[in-house]
Amino acid sequence: DDSFYVMANAGDHWMQFVMPEVLDHEPWYPVFDTLSGFVEGLAVQVHAGQVIIVPDRSIMVLKRACLGC
């Protein structure tokens, strides 16, 4: 099964999100954001404790990499 982490910012300023430590099993990869659209490839990895900036009035979706699947 795929796992997704969704961050939504309905405010009018950019917002910082911190990836929870409980999600540190495998890296996460951006797959979609409303600013850029769909993201291709696995070039950017996101790990637990990392700060992610989400622009105002936007949504960002990360997908967990299933390395052991």
Side-chain angles (χ1 to χ4, degrees), residues 3-63:
S3 296
F4 294 92
Y5 188 77
V6 179
M7 296 163 283
N9 178 5
D12 57 357
H13 299 287
W14 289 43
M15 182 178 288
Q16 291 185 354
F17 288 81
V18 179
M19 285 298 287
E21 295 292 332
V22 71
L23 301 178
D24 193 31
H25 303 292
E26 295 172 346
W28 294 74
Y29 297 92
V31 291
F32 179 80
D33 70 64
T34 54
L35 185 64
S36 304
F38 288 98
V39 178
E40 298 292 330
L42 303 175
V44 177
Q45 293 186 7
V46 179
H47 299 277
Q50 186 171 342
V51 174
I52 300 157
I53 306 296
V54 178
D56 55 308
R57 297 179 186 88
S58 64
I59 295 171
M60 183 178 291
V61 180
L62 305 179
K63 180 180 176 182

